[in-house]
Amino acid sequence: MTDTLAPVKARKLLIDGEPVDAASGRTYQTINPATETPICDVAEAGVEDVDRAVQAAHRAFHDGPWSRMRAADRQRILWKLGDLILEHADELGRLETMDNGKTIVESAKIDAPMAANCFHYYSGWTTKLAGETRPFNPAFFTYTLREPLGVVGAIIPWNMSMVMLGWKCAPALAAGNTVVLKPAELTPLTALRIGELALEAGLPPGVLNVIPGPGAVAGEALVRHPLVAKISFTGSTVVGQHIMRESAATLKKLTLELGGKSPNIVFADADLAAAVKGAASGIFYGKGEVCSAGSRLLVQSDIHDAFVEKLVDRANKLVPGDPMNPKTRLGALVSEKQMNTVLGYIATGKKEGARLVAGGERQPVDGKGFFVQATVLDDVRNDMKVAQEEIFGPVLSVIRFDDVEDAIAKANDIAYGLAAGVWTNDVKKAHTVAGRLQAGTVWVNTYNFYDVVMPFGGYKGSGFGRDLGAEAMDEYTQVKSVWINVE
Ligand code: NDP
């Protein structure tokens, strides 16, 4: 196993443009889940540090140049940050792979460019935000202004640190807000490095502060802080619900993206070779630690047996390997805890009557690491735990359906509504089913495609608000109506 490169230096919090120790002096070790060895010490933010970061962001918003800067200057800085992320994609990729266990291909070739793309795209929005004149009475000149909110608290998960940072910080900053970013305690390294790159790009001190620390302490303090205008969160439903309750006291605006249990529906008339590939990558990409993973595979009964046979063949070929090796396609789960959760779900599925047809075990690489085999559970009923709960690992639950109505009913019979896939060669069926699925994103004859121009977010229990696209700019701005008496 490649145990990384040069040693990674200890990391401090990034507050007001400076690397600083936690006020308590506390640090923790971040662990490489593929080797089970510590990567480096990281300063651990507590309540006092959150306050320092929020005060810095508040000063930067009210007294600093960012929100009042010429839009074209903000644009240049955000574009430059996108360039710097691309220039450092290999370094950032290695950091992310060490911290998270995902493959180097995913972190250096997909996540880092996707984060860069967010800064490039939203830099363009700085000069496109506009209000409107609304002429309705000659006695008044009336118009609207789109204004930033103030301090945005961004709380992101461990599965896609760079991508989530880009999704949240780029539109928030483009709109003129300042940000306090709390990355997940498990994966703080790329967020801290991108914070440094932001300063190099010319972002004024205090505009982007990065404070890793435990969610229950640092995250909680950010949510409760009266100077924070908005929380943009991606993570579990339970924490999302908690954040919603806690932010009521200070009436914060919220964007909540809360995961899913997305149906990937294969009709008998689909291109089956493409659908097998899409079903496998839909769940095994990112080791299944992906909010939009196609974790419920709905297969039409007529083709079920043949389809599952091909799928199992594919799953068996996808073996865990050294995440630093560019040929590896299945990395390590993020932590021992997450691995045990996933293995626990596999055991539950078997107990509930599902049939294990591929994988199912921990499979260390060179004797180490939190790796789990690509796993397929067949004969799953939609009311089983493994069909209803987010497992967040490389585990696919296969469910049969009979016809279009049955497929739609089963697909929608779930608390979540983040994404869905449809595989069919019948264009009418594709449109009908896409229209009736309760999901924020529907992919037809493809899966897990993203672009910064296309909004992303949930229906039902998957949360509300939208990341990406023009829609994200609405999440980070507010509208002011101005009336000028001209009589
Ligand atoms: P969490 O929802 O706990 O973590 C997401 C973020 O929220 C992290 O930065 C976390 O901090 C922070 N957080 C935790 N508690 C609080 C709190 N009380 N107030 C404010 N912020 C808080 O997810 P987990 O890491 O615990 O993962 C558990 C499950 O959640 C997974 O198995 C998966 O099913 C789901 N999940 C879904 C994701 C998605 O993309 N929708 C992403 C990640 C997980 P910290 O981690 O530092 O404690």
Side-chain angles (χ1 to χ4, degrees), residues 155-159 182-186 213-216 219-220 223 233-236 239 242-243 257-259 291 337-338 341 390-392:
I155 302 179
I156 59 174
W158 39 258
N159 60 330
K182 198 210 80 63
E185 213 185 350
L186 289 173
E220 189 95 12
V223 170
F233 170 80
T234 295
S236 63
V239 173
H242 177 75
I243 286 177
E257 198 264 88
L258 307 179
C291 51
K337 181 166 168 248
Q338 188 63 20
T341 302
E390 187 175 45
I391 297 174
F392 231 57

Side-chain angles (χ1 to χ4, degrees), residues 135-143 482-487:
F136 68 95
N137 183 337
F140 300 104
F141 177 57
T142 35
Y143 60 93
V482 182
W483 295 59
I484 311 273
N485 184 344
V486 290
E487 270 202 327

